[in-house]
Amino acid sequence: MKKWKKVTASFMLSIVTLGSGLTFLEAPQASAAANAVPAYEVKFLAKPELVLNTDGTPRSEVIQTLGLSSTARNISAEYFDTNALNLNQAGWDVRFRKKDDKNNYELTYKKRYPVINGDVNAALTLANQEGFDASDDNYEAEIDWGYGKQTLSFSNTKKVDTKATGVQLPSQQEALSMLLDKLPGKLKNWSASNWGKQQLTASRAYGPVTFQRYEGTWNGQELTLEVWPIRNAAGTGLENIVEISFKTADSTAVSGLRTQLMQVLENKNWLIPADGLKTQLILERY
């Protein structure tokens, strides 16, 4: 009997040492949280020479066609990253923003995932594996859907009260201090302990850019037209980037609405048939 016990114990030890290949010996794991459910933002670039007046405001035909207000909201934005753009290369963007009608600063930390061949679920699953899932209510999941590509993003926005008026931003050091103070844990320890804090500490401001946002209602959707005067590639002046967009949480309706808006812009010859990312231009040019 003792010999049998010894053989049995030896046999069980040999099974255990085979490792994780025998999953039936492992402790049961808690079920993973479901993938996040994203909202959608459809974005198109428009030809500035055809949709804007010489002073940079939208032409009356554009305002009428898209149901826009003729009065703009002014917003100043700047991004923070290292000289080598280490945050951006890891898929993170850190933005500091002030709207002219608000008494706070907006601090946004955004993680991006490319959607490859339209496979949104694959991007959501990868994000889930990296900690962004349906249980995390600190981040808003969104699919940015442009002319030819989609990008999944998770945004965490914090607000800091201020007595500053209009679109006035604080000094670079003050803004960076606020961004570090509100730094979320996911970015702080993204690829290693304190990695994000170290990268942000070594960052500088890209920008600022003050842009105009015109809001309206098109086809039952809240729609915006934004005019971003961004430094040109040569660094000799500014060029206007015009973006027309709407947001919806309705994943079944978004494709049809996107097609309709694209057709309106194409029929007017306003559409630029290309994708563009304002953030990337600012990081490259400032």
Side-chain angles (χ1 to χ4, degrees):
M1 186 70 180
K2 288 182 179 179
K3 184 178 180 181
W4 167 244
K5 285 183 177 179
K6 183 181 288 186
V7 170
T8 304
S10 174
F11 176 66
M12 291 304 296
L13 181 62
S14 68
I15 291 179
V16 171
T17 57
L18 288 176
S20 59
L22 295 168
T23 54
F24 62 87
L25 291 175
E26 294 178 355
Q29 295 180 350
S31 58
N35 285 352
V37 179
Y40 283 78
E41 182 171 12
V42 171
K43 299 179 177 180
F44 291 120
L45 294 175
K47 299 174 182 176
E49 69 276 13
L50 296 183
V51 300
L52 300 181
N53 296 310
T54 54
D55 63 356
T57 60
R59 291 174 49 211
S60 58
E61 183 185 2
V62 176
I63 289 174
Q64 292 167 7
T65 300
L66 299 178
L68 298 170
S69 168
S70 57
T71 304
R73 168 186 287 183
N74 291 294
I75 304 169
S76 280
E78 61 187 3
Y79 295 83
F80 281 80
D81 208 332
T82 64
N83 286 328
L85 301 181
N86 292 335
L87 291 168
N88 183 259
Q89 288 177 12
W92 283 95
D93 292 319
V94 177
R95 183 183 70 197
F96 194 98
R97 191 162 75 170
K98 174 74 170 66
K99 298 176 180 176
D100 62 1
D101 60 342
K102 300 293 183 181
N103 59 356
N104 57 52
Y105 299 122
E106 284 185 5
L107 289 57
T108 300
Y109 310 82
K110 179 182 289 189
K111 178 69 175 78
R112 299 181 188 273
Y113 293 90
V115 176
I116 300 171
N117 296 326
D119 194 344
V120 171
N121 284 331
L124 287 167
T125 298
L126 174 58
N128 191 331
Q129 294 167 355
E130 295 190 344
F132 296 97
D133 56 46
S135 70
D136 191 343
D137 55 9
N138 291 318
Y139 287 81
E140 292 185 4
E142 185 174 86
I143 299 291
D144 292 339
W145 194 352
Y147 179 78
K149 71 175 184 179
Q150 295 174 303
T151 303
L152 169 66
S153 67
F154 290 84
S155 298
N156 183 329
T157 298
K158 310 286 183 68
K159 295 185 179 180
V160 177
D161 290 341
T162 178
K163 294 181 180 178
T165 58
V167 294
Q168 180 183 348
L169 295 179
S171 70
Q172 174 175 288
Q173 197 53 49
E174 287 175 308
L176 187 56
S177 178
M178 287 182 236
L179 288 166
L180 285 165
D181 181 58
K182 299 293 184 181
L183 183 65
K186 276 191 173 66
L187 173 52
K188 180 181 178 182
N189 302 309
W190 180 245
S191 57
S193 177
N194 273 332
W195 177 86
K197 183 177 181 180
Q198 291 167 358
Q199 299 302 324
L200 191 55
T201 300
S203 293
R204 67 171 178 86
Y206 289 78
V209 174
T210 300
F211 65 96
Q212 288 71 48
R213 174 182 291 170
Y214 298 84
E215 300 173 338
T217 303
W218 167 85
N219 213 357
Q221 300 293 314
E222 292 184 2
L223 181 140
T224 64
L225 182 150
E226 293 180 351
V227 182
W228 287 67
I230 293 177
R231 184 182 293 168
N232 61 26
T236 56
L238 300 174
E239 65 172 308
N240 285 322
I241 306 297
V242 181
E243 183 180 87
I244 297 170
S245 65
F246 69 86
K247 295 186 179 188
T248 179
D250 190 342
S251 61
T252 59
V254 64
S255 182
L257 289 166
R258 175 180 173 275
T259 298
Q260 291 174 42
L261 180 57
M262 184 187 289
Q263 288 175 345
V264 168
L265 299 178
E266 284 180 332
N267 292 340
K268 296 286 188 180
N269 193 31
W270 295 341
L271 180 69
I272 295 177
D275 290 297
L277 193 59
K278 303 179 302 292
T279 305
Q280 213 63 40
L281 284 179
I282 294 170
L283 291 175
E284 289 171 4
R285 297 180 179 180
Y286 285 80

